Amino acid sequence: MKYICKEDFKINEILVGTKGDVLEITDAIPDENFNETIEDVKGYCDILNINTNQKYNATWFNVNCNLAVENLVRGE
């Protein structure tokens, strides 16, 4: 799903997106190099900043907190 940053979006003081950036947020994909399973990554998400092409890992809790305070809005 795509979201637009209404303000700076930080996770644990790491700047993930600035105002106007489009973020694509999906369920985390297990990393075969670390023998991760779907259960291992449950509750985590992958974030791609479309504007900067930077990738981040986070928890859905972090994303939902920012949705609750309206730092992110759903995009197209």
Side-chain angles (χ1 to χ4, degrees), residues 22-25 46-51 53-56:
V22 177
L23 306 177
E24 185 174 61
I25 305 174
D46 295 329
I47 303 172
L48 172 64
N49 183 320
I50 302 293
N51 298 74
N53 204 36
Q54 293 289 317
K55 294 181 182 180
Y56 304 90

Side-chain angles (χ1 to χ4, degrees), residues 25-54:
I25 305 174
T26 59
D27 286 328
I29 298 171
D31 188 332
E32 292 178 7
N33 295 324
F34 296 105
N35 295 322
E36 290 179 333
T37 66
I38 291 176
E39 285 298 315
D40 292 331
V41 298
K42 188 174 183 177
Y44 290 88
C45 59
D46 295 329
I47 303 172
L48 172 64
N49 183 320
I50 302 293
N51 298 74
T52 64
N53 204 36
Q54 293 289 317

